[in-house]
Amino acid sequence: SRQGKIRLSEFFSSYTESEKRRIIRDITSEVLPRQPKMCNIIEKGDSKFVYRRYASLYFIAGVPSDMNELLVLEQIHLFVEALDGYFNSVCELDLVFSLHKSLMILFEMFIGGMLCESNKRDVLRSIIEAEELVEETAKPGEDAKSQLDDGLTFHEQFQLGRKPGKRGGRGF
């Protein structure tokens, strides 16, 4: 967001937690103060960071320096369109309170950092099918939405406002 709050992050390469925090801090400090008319590409070392701003949200992708920037901008736009299709005009609160659904969309589209599904209708259809499957297999009286959260990392559970290891609820 414009305040520098990270709402969704995923690394498709292996980094330690301290390296991830450093990368996020460095790139955030470079992207946020930039003017809207400035270039959307920042080169750092053997990588470059391509970003695009939608309202108050920034979507940033770190890629190898030999990758086509325009292709990355299109992939970011495709991801945002898929989020818009699911959330009906995505906003920061959608990412905060439905992080798991945003990650499901991300993982449906990208595998290992490479775009595998570019048809947003197919992506959204797969997400809806997964939700329906969870609802069908839920036991009576059990919250089906809590089952969709299973498998989240501690960081993702914290972003959802839960204490890691607890299911459902706000966990505070």
Side-chain angles (χ1 to χ4, degrees):
S1 69
R2 284 188 289 183
Q3 293 79 29
K5 300 271 187 192
I6 306 302
R7 300 302 183 189
L8 170 73
S9 68
E10 185 61 39
F11 287 79
F12 291 104
S13 296
S14 180
Y15 294 100
T16 65
E17 287 300 315
S18 61
E19 289 174 323
K20 289 178 183 179
R21 283 191 302 272
R22 182 187 51 77
I23 291 169
I24 289 172
R25 183 184 63 242
D26 290 349
I27 198 62
T28 301
S29 66
E30 287 197 37
V31 168
L32 289 179
R34 294 172 73 94
Q35 298 298 317
K37 297 285 184 185
M38 293 178 79
C39 181
N40 291 26
I41 301 153
I42 299 171
E43 294 193 32
K44 279 180 93 65
D46 61 346
S47 298
K48 59 184 158 189
F49 295 88
V50 180
Y51 72 93
R52 189 148 183 196
R53 181 177 167 189
Y54 293 88
S56 66
L57 296 174
Y58 287 89
F59 292 84
I60 304 170
V63 296
S65 57
D66 61 345
M67 193 162 180
N68 184 339
E69 301 92 0
L70 295 176
L71 181 63
V72 177
L73 282 169
E74 275 301 311
Q75 290 175 348
I76 291 171
H77 186 69
L78 182 65
F79 177 61
V80 173
E81 281 185 336
L83 289 173
D84 277 342
Y86 185 83
F87 292 113
N88 294 324
S89 187
V90 69
C91 68
E92 190 171 358
L93 290 176
D94 293 324
L95 298 179
V96 170
F97 294 112
S98 298
L99 176 66
H100 58 289
K101 292 180 183 178
S102 303
L103 286 169
M104 286 173 63
I105 293 169
L106 179 72
F107 295 144
E108 190 66 32
M109 294 177 72
F110 296 90
I111 297 176
M114 301 302 293
L115 181 66
C116 292
E117 182 57 70
S118 61
N119 187 331
K120 63 183 176 186
R121 287 188 188 115
D122 287 347
V123 169
L124 296 176
R125 188 177 310 118
S126 297
I127 301 302
I128 290 169
E129 287 173 3
E131 289 175 343
E132 289 171 353
L133 181 64
V134 168
E135 288 175 9
E136 286 176 12
T137 60
K139 296 175 185 151
E142 188 176 54
D143 182 19
K145 291 184 180 189
S146 68
Q147 293 183 11
L148 292 172
D149 295 343
D150 285 349
L152 295 177
T153 66
F154 288 130
H155 177 70
E156 292 160 349
Q157 290 182 30
F158 179 75
Q159 284 181 327
L160 284 171
R162 298 185 345 201
K163 289 183 180 176
K166 298 217 179 219
R167 290 184 63 177
R170 296 264 325 162
F172 286 112

